Each structure stands twice: as structure tokens, then as C-alpha cells.
């Protein structure tokens, strides 16, 4: 009786999104590397796809029962002449790169694979979110980050596009957006109500204002402290999708975690998520059965000493594994059963 009712609770969530559940059933992942760093100013973040593969990323997913198709690392056009526009740095390079990323993500989703995109800096999500939404309308976004990444080209102090990607893809933001060369192709596909933030602790005035104006579901580290990560996650998932049917785009910035766990990142902010909170988020998203695409961004292996670099990579790999179904309660791949000795007489 107990088992049956448990099953009945678990099944409807998975059954509703047919496209996503098919991909989960077949356990297929399409992996793409984005060795791109022009959305911010520090070199090194572009080496993360290589370093994470070297550290065993694909093997980890295989162990969980996934068949991984590796689309390799994307190659990006170099622009010799790419002056800032409205204070925005490298607009043409980023605009061109995110178009290529969007096309690749769309293709992976259309191939019935769960798309895992390894950055690179967070500017790449203009491409991943748009490409995902184009191939699979009705996605919701769970954005795990120390920052809101919602500056507009006019509100940003730094001019780094990795702090602005959501302003390019959210429909309601468009009245605040100037023309930026390279981004003419972007067709915003996401409503503000389709986004939930978790882990924020460094939010600029323009971002705070937009979050309030647009009513974006917002759980900073303050709310994590107040309610606990379990309550925060269930509220966030419920708010972006009360029906529990829609495919999830999980955009995971490694700087959401405390710098003690992920020191090798370009814009660390003290007082971040613990490893337990970070893994809990990943496990809860995995448990919905609706993870459709994931970004893992802002690992920068060039920053910090050897021990810090290793710790950051280990943290990133753990977050990815748990987002794809690894559980601290233990797990086994589909079809697994315990070996029985020959000549076994019961
Ligand atoms: Mn970010």
C-alpha cells in the first residue's frame, strides 16, 4: 500500500511533460562546451569545458546510466574591431557567439537529448535560454547565482555582458533595452514570471528595481537563511510552474556557492550557499523529472592556487552529477539488480 501511494505521488510529475520524460526515459544527454570568456574581463573561464571533461564529467554521467553525445567545444569568430557600445564590452563577439550557442542548443533539444552546456561565462545563456525556448516552448528558468544577471546595457556599471544575459531574453525588459550590435537576432521568449532566482547576494539597484517591477520569483541567500533551502526550493518551483508540468532550464553559476567551495571564479561573493544547499537544489530539480537543459558556468581554472582550482572543479562536478540524478540517499542505474550466485537454491 505504502509503495503504491508513493508511486502515485511520483508519477504524475514525470508523465506530464512528454518530451522531457522521453529524454529521461532514454537517459540521453547532449553535451556542448562553450570555451568563451568575452562576457567578462578575466581570461581562463574559457578553459573550463576542457578541464571539466578531463576531470571525468562524461564518465560521471555514464555511471548514472546516461548515454552522452559530446558535441565538442564550439568555435567562435574573432572580431578585431569590436568597440564598446553603451558601455557594453565586446558586443559583436558575444552576440555572434550566443547565436551559435542558441542554434546548437536547439539542435540538441530537437535530438531528444537533455542539453548540458558547460561554460564559459554566464553571457552564454542568452544563447542557451533562447535556443532551448525556441525548440521547446513553455520552459521555466531556475537561476542559481550570487548575482541577478539582469542588468541592462544602460544600467550596467561594468559593461560585462555576463551580468546582463536575462535582460536580453526576458520579454518585459525590452522597453529598457537599446540596440546592441550583434544581438539583432535575439527574439525574447521568456516572461518574467517564468524565472525563479535562488542564492542571490549581490544585486545592483537597477536589477532590484526590475525584480520588483516585474515580480520575479526571488529567493536571495537571506530567504535561504530565513526559510531553509527545502522551503525555498518548493516555493520557487511552485511559483514558476504551479502545474508541475513544464520543462526546466537550470542555469547554475558556480559563484552561487560559497567561495570556500568554489574559489576559482571571476566574481566571488562571500556568504554563499553551502555544499549541502547547492546539492539539495540540484537533487530537487532532478527529482522533478523535468530537467531539460542545464548550464554550468563561471568556473575559472586560472584563478587561485592548485588546491582552490581542484576544489572548484570537484564542486562543479558534484553539482552536475546531482542535477542529473545522483542522490546522497544512494542510487543505481536503470535496469540494475544484485548479482545472484550460480547454483543458487532458494
Ligand atoms: Mn551569473
Amino acid at each position: 500500500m505504502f509503495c503504491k501511494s508513493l508511486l502515485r505521488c511520483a508519477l504524475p510529475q514525470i508523465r506530464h511533460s512528454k518530451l522531457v520524460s522521453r529524454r529521461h526515459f532514454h537517459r540521453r544527454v547532449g553535451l556542448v562546451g562553450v570555451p568563451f570568456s568575452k562576457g567578462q574581463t578575466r581570461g581562463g573561464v574559457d578553459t573550463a569545458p576542457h578541464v571539466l571533461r578531463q576531470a571525468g564529467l562524461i564518465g560521471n554521467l555514464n555511471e548514472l546510466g546516461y548515454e552522452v553525445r559530446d558535441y565538442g567545444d564550439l568555435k567562435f569568430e574573432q572580431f578585431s574591431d569590436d568597440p564598446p557600445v553603451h558601455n557594453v564590452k565586446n558586443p559583436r563577439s558575444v552576440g555572434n557567439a550566443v547565436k551559435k550557442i542558441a542554434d546548437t542548443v536547439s539542435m540538441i533539444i530537437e535530438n531528444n537529448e537533455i542539453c548540458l552546456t558547460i561554460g564559459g561565462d554566464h553571457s552564454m545563456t542568452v544563447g542557451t535560454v533562447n535556443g532551448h525556448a525556441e525548440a521547446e516552448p513553455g520552459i521555466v528558468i531556475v537561476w542559481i547565482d550570487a548575482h541577478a544577471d539582469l542588468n541592462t546595457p544602460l544600467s550596467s556599471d561594468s559593461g560585462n555582458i555576463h551580468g546582463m544575459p536575462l535582460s536580453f531574453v526576458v520579454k518585459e525588459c525590452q522597453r529598457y533595452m537599446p540596440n546592441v550590435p550583434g544581438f539583432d537576432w535575439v527574439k525574447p521568449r521568456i516572461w518574467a514570471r517564468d524565472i525563479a532566482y535562488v542564492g542571490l547576494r549581490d544585486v545592483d539597484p537597477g536589477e532590484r528595481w526590475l525584480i520588483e517591477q516585474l515580480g520575479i520569483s526571488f529567493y536571495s541567500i537571506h530567504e535561504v537563511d530565513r526559510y531553509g533551502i527545502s522551503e525555498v526550493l518548493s516555493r520557487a518551483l511552485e511559483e514558476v510552474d504551479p502545474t508541475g508540468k513544464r520543462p526546466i532550464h537550470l542555469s547554475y553559476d558556480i559563484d552561487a556557492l560559497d567561495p570556500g567551495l568554489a574559489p576559482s571564479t571571476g566574481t566571488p561573493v562571500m556568504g554563499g550557499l553551502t555544499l549541502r544547499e547547492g546539492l539539495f537544489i540540484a537533487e530537487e530539480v532532478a527529482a522533478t523529472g523535468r530537467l531539460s537543459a542545464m548550464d554550468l558556468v563561471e568556473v575559472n581554472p586560472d584563478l587561485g592556487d592548485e588546491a582552490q582550482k581542484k576544489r572548484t572543479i570537484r564542486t562543479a562536478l558534484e553539482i552536475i552529477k546531482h542535477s542529473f540524478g545522483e542522490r546522497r540517499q544512494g542510487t543505481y542505474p536503470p535496469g540494475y539488480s544484485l548479482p545472484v550466485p550460480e547454483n543458487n537454491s532458494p
Side-chain angles (χ1 to χ4, degrees):
M1 271 310 271
F2 182 61
C3 280
K4 261 189 185 164
S5 67
L6 250 186
L7 214 88
R8 231 174 286 138
C9 287
L11 269 179
Q13 292 180 321
I14 298 173
R15 205 185 293 139
H16 287 304
S17 175
K18 286 193 179 127
L19 257 179
V20 184
S21 67
R22 194 160 68 230
R23 280 182 272 156
H24 278 267
F25 179 73
H26 292 298
R27 294 224 159 203
R28 287 210 303 247
V29 173
L31 169 68
V32 59
V34 173
F36 188 76
S37 63
K38 293 207 184 295
Q40 44 88 68
T41 49
R42 290 165 177 273
V45 70
D46 47 321
T47 66
H50 172 73
V51 171
L52 289 168
R53 278 198 186 87
Q54 287 286 100
L57 170 64
I58 295 177
N60 287 347
L61 293 167
N62 292 148
E63 275 169 28
L64 288 165
Y66 289 95
E67 186 189 310
V68 179
R69 187 184 332 190
D70 191 351
Y71 290 78
D73 286 352
L74 296 180
K75 291 191 175 61
F76 302 109
E77 212 177 304
Q78 300 292 326
F79 288 77
S80 50
D81 187 34
D82 193 5
V85 175
H86 312 288
N87 180 38
V88 174
K89 292 172 185 149
N90 310 314
R92 293 156 196 87
S93 309
V94 179
N96 192 271
V98 291
K99 172 78 173 91
K100 194 163 186 180
I101 295 162
D103 292 344
T104 308
V105 170
S106 282
M107 178 183 67
I108 292 174
I109 298 292
E110 277 159 15
N111 286 345
N112 267 321
E113 291 155 344
I114 302 168
C115 182
L116 173 59
T117 313
I118 303 294
D121 72 64
H122 223 162
S123 68
M124 74 172 201
T125 49
V126 178
T128 60
V129 167
N130 250 63
H132 188 194
E134 189 176 353
E136 182 136 68
I139 62 167
V140 296
I141 298 176
V142 179
W143 196 274
I144 315 298
D145 208 313
H147 313 87
D149 296 353
L150 187 61
N151 269 300
T152 70
L154 302 180
S155 76
S156 167
D157 280 337
S158 71
N160 294 327
I161 298 179
H162 79 154
M164 314 177 199
L166 283 170
S167 74
F168 286 94
V169 299
V170 173
K171 297 186 195 199
E172 293 96 325
C173 289
Q174 298 319 301
R175 64 174 298 211
Y176 308 104
M177 296 294 284
N179 279 329
V180 180
F183 287 84
D184 333 324
W185 66 274
V186 180
K187 189 169 179 281
R189 296 175 189 276
I190 303 297
W191 294 104
R193 60 169 181 266
D194 298 332
I195 301 169
Y197 281 124
V198 180
L200 280 62
R201 55 196 183 277
D202 183 3
V203 179
D204 295 332
E207 296 179 309
R208 180 70 217 177
W209 186 85
L210 260 181
I211 286 165
E212 289 175 11
Q213 289 290 312
L214 306 183
I216 299 179
S217 180
F218 174 90
Y219 295 92
S220 75
I221 206 81
H222 179 96
E223 281 74 31
V224 174
D225 286 343
R226 179 172 297 241
Y227 304 113
I229 194 66
S230 170
E231 177 69 19
V232 160
L233 242 278
S234 35
R235 284 195 202 181
L237 292 175
E238 166 86 17
E239 279 169 15
V240 287
D241 179 18
T243 65
K245 297 175 184 176
R246 297 166 63 184
I248 295 174
H249 185 112
L250 176 63
S251 204
Y252 217 124
D253 190 322
I254 200 69
D255 74 21
L257 292 150
D258 191 81
L261 295 158
S264 298
T265 190
T267 48
V269 186
M270 288 192 293
L273 295 170
T274 65
L275 186 60
R276 283 162 63 172
E277 290 163 341
L279 293 179
F280 185 87
I281 294 168
E283 288 174 358
E284 288 292 277
V285 170
T288 64
R290 290 183 283 119
L291 178 68
S292 180
M294 177 181 189
D295 317 310
L296 193 289
V297 299
E298 300 284 356
V299 170
N300 189 333
D302 283 6
L303 300 177
D305 59 30
E306 200 56 27
Q308 290 175 317
K309 169 183 156 178
K310 277 200 178 130
R311 201 178 318 143
T312 308
I313 290 162
R314 174 135 192 247
T315 300
L317 289 180
E318 287 297 317
I319 293 292
I320 295 169
K321 273 199 293 192
H322 288 260
S323 301
F324 280 83
E326 176 80 41
R327 292 152 57 87
R328 285 167 290 175
Q329 301 99 314
T331 185
Y332 49 81
Y336 175 90
S337 67
L338 206 60
V340 178
E342 276 176 52
N343 309 320
N344 185 37
S345 46

